[in-house]
Each structure stands twice: as C-alpha cells, then as structure tokens.
Amino acid sequence: MRVVLVTYGSRGDVEPMTGLALRLAALGAEVRMCAPPDFAKLLDSVDLPLSPVGWPIRALATGAVPGKAQAGLSGIAAELTAMAYEAVAGVAEGCAAVVATGSLPALAGARAAAEKLGVPYVFTSMSPCYLPSPHHPPRPWPGQVIPAEMTGNRELWDLHAEHMNTMFGETVNTHRASIGLPPVDHIRDHVFTGHPFLAADPVLGPWQETPELAVAQTGAWIRPDERPLPADLEAFLAAGAEPVYVGFGSMPMRGANTQEVSRAVIEAVRTQGRRVLLGSGWAGLTTDDRDDCFVVGEVNQQVLFRRVAAVVHHGGAGTTTTAARAGAPQVIVPQVADQPYWADRVTELGIGTGHHGPTPTAGSLSAALETALAPETGARAAAVAETVRTDGAELAAKLLLDMIGRRGRG
C-alpha cells in the first residue's frame, strides 16, 4: 500500500507530515513525500523519498526567487497549482490516498491530481482556526476588506469563501480545464472537503463540532526527535541558570531590522535577570560578545525546551505544541497566518502570553516575559504539559488506513 503526502509550506508543515509518514511506514505503508526541495536533507535522514514541489520555500518567503518578490501569492498561484499537480501526478498513480496540507494553490493542484487519478484525497489542517465554523471567525486574509457591520461568524466565513474564489477561482479552474477536469464553484470548500483531518492537540487547539464539517481531530503529528544537543550548547546550558530561548523559526520578520530585533530581545531577557539563548532561524538573530548569550541553529527543540525558563517564538503550531509539551512557559510574537490564534490560546490557557505586535522592543518583550516567568505561569505550563497528546500521528495513520481499507472493501 502506497500513500502520498503533500505540502508546500515551511518546516511547520513538513515536520508534522514527516511524523505521519513515519507512523504510516511503521504500520507497513510505503510513503512518498511531495514537499519543497529545502527539505531533502531532513527527509533523507529518516529514509523518506522526496518528490520536490516548486521553488525552495525559504527563497520564496525571503524574496530570493527571481521575479517573484513582488508577485504575492495570487501572482504565483497559477505556477504553484501546476507544479503541485505535476509533482503529485508523477508519483500518485495507483496509490491508496493523497494527504495534503499547506498553501491553497498547491492544495488545489494536489486535489486535481488525485481526482484525475481516481485516488482518495484527504485535507489536513494544523490549526482549528483555518476550518469554517460558526463558533469562531476566519483569520483575516491579506487584502480582504471586511465591512464594519459584518460581525457574524457564518457571514464572515461566507465572505472568506468569496475572497478565496476571487483570488484563486479563475486560476484553479483554468488549470483544471487544461487537464480535462470540470470547474468548481467553491474553491475553499473544494480543497478543504467536508471531512478534513485536524492535526492539533485537543487541549491547545480544541475543535467545537459543527454540522458543516465532519472533522477528525487526531492531536498534533509529532516527529520523535532523539538527536543529542550539540556539545557547545550543552556547555552553555550547564554554565548557569536556565536561559530564555528566543527564536522565530521560519519567519524572516520582513520590515524589521535584524540587528535591532536581536538587541531588543537580548536586552529584554537580561532585564529579567536571565541568560539568553537565541535561535537564529530565518530572522537571522545574532548574539553579542557577552558570555550570557549564545546562538544556535536548528537543534532538537523537544529536548531543548525542557531545559529553558521560557520560550519566546513566532507562534507556529508545531513550536507552540513542542513548548507546551515540554512544560515551558511561552511568549508568542505572532507574525502571520494562524500565529495570532496560538498566541490567544496560550494566553487563555495561562501557559504564557501573546505579544502585541509583530516586532518586539526591549520594553514590550520584557513586560511579556514578566508574565511568562511568573511562578503561577510555570506551574500552569507544567500542568498543561501532562495533558498534551503524543499519539496524534499514530491515531491519524490508523484512521487513514482504516478509511483506505473500508474503501477497498466497498
């Protein structure tokens, strides 16, 4: 049995799909991953074959792909839809299912390939806030104008669907016509389907049932990481009290001066009497020459976050879950997409706080850290850590294989 997993997104999309892939493989399935070429080394390290999709995601996000810096998502949608279609169509013939997440144009291409090949397609969301529901409003989409008098969740989701049609409808249907498929009227609902998977922890990101969608919430898809920490990082951790980790993952923090942000976060942490551990990430955070500050690249956060006083980060679903699972208090500095949702959830749960605005200053971050480093926040974070599910990928793999089996028997 062969399953194709698809994403065009950053590490926060690829990591959970890798977690699912490993569980599927453990249960006897053959897995192929379609993802940006940036992740060839990661996937090779766990023996997952990669079919590259599109441009390197980091280059695209940081404006380094020639001719794409000013295009925006709508400007590259046609190419991305076609590239995802070609990648999936090239490996999915005869497979048992296509499971997809990531950007909407790539999802449309993945579903078109599955449809063309007669293969079941399963959409996955990493956050409940992306799924239409009368219980919460949609996240604002760049360029979308929302009338002031429109406040009801259902009408806001209807407006969201119209906006998706305006942005991507013509592009997606032009591509579908080129491969002999009929047009679709509702792009978002076509891509999301009526029965998506939700790969989010039920405590951190709960889903309220609604008649509109039959959502299978499995818990977050976690790839177990057993790598040791680098020796120089171990030496820094052993040299003093628990530091505060600050890193913004796959966020380039456009419009912000890297040096200024680095100085601000270092000063904020020092104001709280703590040592500083910087994750350089796409933001390129840099340290100064004092021995209470250390900078690291990509490391095992599952291990690291258990050894820090707090985690300051961008609010990606994966980083939020990893910090919560480690019992580390959090400060989320949201940049885009679902990150404000996770900032709100961390605040509501009492396991940290959200930062107001995408660019921290020394004063604003120091104030947020006062909340995160308070004893009651630490105690609450430790308590919530005990509730975070670790079997989400296994549950999703079993649900998927059961779905495939029922289809086969039918």
Side-chain angles (χ1 to χ4, degrees):
M1 177 189 304
R2 187 160 48 88
V3 177
V4 174
L5 307 184
V6 189
T7 183
Y8 190 76
S10 67
R11 182 104 185 208
D13 296 297
V14 176
E15 278 280 349
M17 295 296 269
T18 305
L20 175 63
L22 294 176
R23 292 312 308 156
L24 285 168
L27 293 171
E30 176 189 346
V31 185
R32 165 76 65 167
M33 183 85 78
C34 297
D38 313 54
F39 302 102
K41 184 177 179 180
L42 167 66
L43 297 176
D44 184 63
S45 72
V46 291
D47 297 321
L48 283 177
L50 169 66
S51 294
V53 177
W55 313 277
I57 189 68
R58 182 170 184 173
L60 184 64
T62 56
V65 177
K68 305 299 182 227
Q70 307 302 322
L73 182 55
S74 60
I76 65 173
E79 291 179 85
L80 191 52
T81 299
M83 288 188 291
Y85 173 84
E86 294 296 334
V88 177
V91 296
E93 186 169 3
C95 78
V98 170
V99 183
T101 193
S103 73
L104 193 143
L107 287 166
R111 177 152 198 195
E115 187 176 345
K116 187 75 174 177
L117 296 172
V119 173
Y121 162 89
V122 179
F123 167 70
T124 297
S125 177
M126 303 300 171
S127 173
C129 71
Y130 286 139
L131 298 176
S133 169
H135 302 297
H136 60 254
R139 302 306 308 175
W141 192 272
Q144 184 180 10
V145 178
I146 300 175
E149 68 276 9
M150 187 173 289
T151 58
N153 289 337
R154 290 184 187 276
E155 58 182 351
L156 287 170
W157 278 109
D158 288 344
L159 184 66
H160 178 271
E162 292 175 11
H163 189 64
M164 295 299 98
N165 284 340
T166 299
M167 289 191 69
F168 303 118
E170 182 177 357
T171 293
V172 169
N173 282 324
T174 296
H175 177 263
R176 288 176 64 83
S178 73
I179 58 173
L181 291 177
V184 292
D185 294 330
H186 303 288
I187 299 300
R188 184 200 68 199
D189 296 344
H190 169 74
V191 166
F192 285 9
T193 77
H195 42 81
F197 278 8
L198 174 56
D201 185 78
V203 171
L204 299 178
W207 173 256
Q208 291 181 264
E209 291 188 9
T210 172
E212 287 87 348
L213 287 178
V215 173
Q217 183 165 23
T218 61
W221 299 350
I222 299 169
R223 176 177 74 94
D225 194 342
E226 299 177 352
R227 295 173 297 161
L229 298 178
D232 55 354
L233 175 55
E234 284 282 8
F236 176 76
L237 293 171
E242 292 179 334
V244 169
Y245 174 89
V246 183
F248 301 111
S250 301
M251 290 290 107
M253 299 190 77
R254 288 180 179 173
N257 181 290
T258 297
Q259 299 300 321
E260 291 179 0
V261 172
S262 298
R263 284 194 294 268
V265 299
I266 291 170
E267 181 182 342
V269 176
R270 284 176 176 157
T271 297
Q272 295 300 315
R274 295 283 180 168
R275 299 190 302 152
V276 193
L277 180 57
L278 297 177
S280 56
W282 290 11
L285 298 181
T286 57
T287 184
D288 58 20
D289 57 2
R290 290 171 54 178
D291 61 7
D292 69 339
C293 188
F294 190 81
V295 64
V296 296
E298 196 280 316
V299 296
N300 184 343
Q301 293 183 342
Q302 294 175 22
V303 171
L304 177 60
F305 286 177
R306 297 182 186 278
R307 299 176 62 183
V308 299
V311 176
V312 179
H313 62 100
H314 57 298
T319 309
T320 303
T321 303
T322 302
R325 183 182 170 208
Q330 305 181 49
V331 175
I332 292 182
V333 186
Q335 305 294 306
V336 296
D338 60 339
Q339 295 164 14
Y341 168 81
W342 294 112
D344 290 344
R345 287 300 301 151
V346 160
T347 303
E348 291 164 5
L349 287 166
I351 61 176
T353 188
H355 178 274
H356 296 292
T359 307
T361 64
S364 66
L365 184 55
S366 180
L369 280 169
E370 286 188 16
T371 298
L373 294 170
E376 58 270 23
T377 306
R380 178 63 180 156
V384 170
E386 298 297 320
T387 72
V388 177
R389 295 189 65 147
T390 60
D391 63 345
E394 182 174 2
L395 176 58
K398 289 178 178 178
L399 286 174
L400 181 65
L401 295 180
D402 181 63
M403 180 197 78
I404 293 169
R406 284 187 280 109
R407 183 174 184 269
R409 291 191 296 271

